[in-house]
């Protein structure tokens, strides 16, 4: 079989389009292509030459203003209306293929949503004294925590919990999970074990709250750490502390301000209009059936953009600055090394069998008859646009009856 030339390699072209779309520096792109396309020789001049050959540019100055306006308007019809111009510019590049200067995006936002721009400018940020935090490398310490901003009053009104895992060195979000309840230890442990199955890499330390929802996850982690014989006391691999000092806590603010507020307005409308009764079991199931997959989809996009955005240098920060994906993948460029431990599939299977957490289904909270009717009337809920989620709930409520 004849070897594929670089200029005929569609996978290479697609990867270069993705990296340029994420606005990575050429030196950062070079690291990724050296790793993923090592069959070709690479250098910065070679990378520049291949970008030109594929016709890939960081800024497309031929983009029509109408295309920019259309893309910005689409984002303003969804959670993208909460983004600042930097974050929106990155989303336009990756989701819409619109690669224009930031100032043009800022101007278009001011034109289409002047009130939103003004509201963001009015936010006053009070600086707090910071205690320097250090990490020896990716997967040395990962922060895990739940967030209940969507749940409403007493963290109960809406059955929409969120749970996340952040690498403290690179600030890469490892997973973000939307679920019926983030207080269920089986649900939380299930998502952590799924993540271990996906990556087959075990972090050294977990940083979490000492809550009932974390007990089973902590037990599984300590068991696996003990298998490696890494510590004299494996329980030291779990670090407990309050949420306020957890590195993921700051990340929740960005998620709420840039995504969750959009859905919270819909949920509040349903509640105030008495179209949703938090005490009604059927209403809670229907709301979760509609909103969990839609919010999860938007969270996945949000995480992808977060991991590709550039963290700017900050005073008194003893952590590297750069793009989370790049810092996580190439820590040697930042004076660190990977601290994760390769897992064996048999160890994961053993933990899964002993804990039983993989038997937990994502929609186990639903009655079978209610679930059957929901899947009949709205089988492709993932295709529902975020702006139409509220109408999807109303549609199901008119048709689904409790068993």
């Amino acid at each position: 079989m004849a070897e594929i030339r670089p200029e005929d390699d569609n996978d290479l072209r697609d990867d270069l389009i993705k990296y340029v779309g994420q606005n990575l520096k050429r030196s950062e792109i070079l690291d990724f292509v050296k790793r993923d396309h090592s069959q070709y020789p690479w250098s910065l001049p070679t990378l520049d030459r291949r970008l030109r050959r594929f016709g890939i540019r960081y800024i497309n100055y031929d983009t029509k203003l109408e295309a920019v306006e259309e893309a910005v308007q689409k984002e303003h019809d969804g959670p993208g209306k909460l983004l600042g111009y930097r974050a929106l510019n990155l989303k336009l590049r990756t989701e819409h293929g619109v690669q224009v200067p930031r100032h043009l995006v800022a101007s278009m936002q001011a034109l289409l949503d002047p009130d939103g721009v003004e509201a963001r400018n009015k936010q006053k940020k009070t600086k707090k004294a910071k205690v320097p935090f250090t990490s020896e490398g990716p997967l040395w310490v990962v922060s895990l925590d739940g967030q209940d901003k969507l749940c409403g009053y007493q963290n109960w009104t809406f059955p929409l919990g969120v749970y996340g895992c952040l690498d403290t060195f690179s600030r890469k979000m490892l997973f973000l999970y939307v679920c019926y309840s983030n207080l269920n230890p089986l649900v939380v442990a299930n998502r952590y074990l799924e993540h271990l199955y996906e990556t087959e890499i075990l972090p050294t330390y977990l940083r979490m709250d000492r809550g009932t929802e974390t007990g089973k996850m902590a037990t599984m982690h300590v068991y696996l750490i003990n298998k490696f014989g890494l510590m004299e006391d494996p329980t030291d691999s779990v670090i407990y502390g309050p949420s306020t000092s957890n590195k993921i806590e700051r990340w929740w603010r960005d998620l709420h301000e840039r995504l969750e507020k959009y859905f919270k307005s819909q949920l509040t409308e349903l509640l105030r209009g008495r179209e949703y009764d938090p005490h009604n079991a059927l209403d809670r199931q229907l709301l979760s059936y509609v909103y969990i997959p839609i919010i999860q989809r938007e969270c996945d996009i949000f995480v992808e953009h977060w991991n590709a955005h550039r963290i700017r240098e900050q005073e008194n920060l003893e952590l590297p600055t750069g793009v989370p994906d790049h810092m996580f993948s190439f820590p040697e460029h930042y004076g660190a090394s990977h601290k994760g431990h390769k897992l064996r599939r048999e160890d994961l299977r053993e933990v899964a069998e002993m804990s039983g957490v993989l038997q937990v289904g994502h929609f186990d909270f639903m009655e079978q008859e209610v679930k059957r009717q929901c899947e009949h009337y709205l089988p492709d809920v993932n295709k529902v646009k975020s702006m139409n989620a509220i109408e999807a709930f109303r549609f199901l409520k008119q048709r689904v009856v409790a068993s």
Side-chain angles (χ1 to χ4, degrees), residues 376-389:
H376 171 73
Y377 290 116
L378 192 62
D380 297 321
V381 65
N382 284 307
K383 295 182 180 179
V384 175
K385 293 181 179 180
S386 298
M387 63 186 298
N388 296 329

Side-chain angles (χ1 to χ4, degrees), residues 121-277:
N121 287 339
K122 286 181 179 179
Q123 292 179 359
K124 296 181 180 180
K125 300 179 180 179
T126 303
K127 291 188 176 181
K128 299 180 180 179
K130 296 182 179 179
V131 177
F133 176 89
T134 60
S135 179
E136 296 188 15
L139 300 181
W140 175 246
V141 180
V142 299
S143 288
L144 298 110
D145 193 22
Q147 194 243 35
D148 305 305
K149 292 291 187 182
L150 286 172
C151 295
Y153 179 65
Q154 293 186 338
N155 297 334
W156 173 84
T157 304
F158 305 106
L160 298 169
V162 180
Y163 206 85
C165 179
L166 178 83
D167 174 60
T168 58
F169 174 82
S170 62
R171 280 85 85 206
K172 177 177 180 176
M173 202 67 188
L174 302 180
F175 67 78
L176 187 63
Y177 182 51
V178 184
C179 53
Y180 188 80
S181 172
N182 59 12
L183 298 178
N184 186 331
L186 291 176
V187 171
V188 172
N190 171 280
R191 186 61 191 94
Y192 180 62
L193 188 55
E194 284 185 347
H195 172 70
L196 295 183
Y197 262 103
E198 293 164 4
T199 62
E200 296 187 355
I201 301 292
L202 180 71
T204 300
Y205 291 96
L206 301 187
R207 169 64 174 81
M208 62 179 73
D209 300 339
R210 191 186 291 275
T212 56
E213 75 277 8
T214 61
K216 190 169 283 290
M217 175 172 59
T219 301
M220 294 192 307
H221 183 76
V222 169
Y223 177 82
L224 290 170
I225 286 290
N226 188 52
K227 282 266 188 180
F228 283 96
L230 296 172
M231 302 176 188
E232 185 174 339
D233 184 356
T235 60
D236 289 341
S237 64
V238 178
I239 305 170
Y240 290 107
S243 293
T244 51
S245 59
N246 198 337
K247 296 302 291 183
I248 197 175
E249 189 69 16
R250 169 61 180 82
W251 196 86
W252 291 134
R253 191 178 79 182
D254 283 340
L255 181 70
H256 182 63
E257 293 293 332
R258 299 182 179 186
L259 176 63
E260 291 177 329
K261 277 187 174 181
Y262 178 80
F263 292 103
K264 195 64 179 287
S265 65
Q266 293 188 15
L267 298 172
T268 302
E269 180 179 338
L270 290 172
L271 183 65
R272 290 178 176 174
R274 298 187 178 182
E275 298 175 84
Y276 167 76
D277 180 2

Side-chain angles (χ1 to χ4, degrees), residues 38-58:
S38 57
Q39 68 271 36
Y40 306 126
W42 290 102
S43 66
L44 282 174
T46 300
L47 173 62
D48 287 338
R49 185 172 67 252
R50 287 174 180 159
L51 288 173
R52 290 194 299 271
R53 186 165 296 172
F54 283 125
I56 302 172
R57 295 180 290 178
Y58 277 84

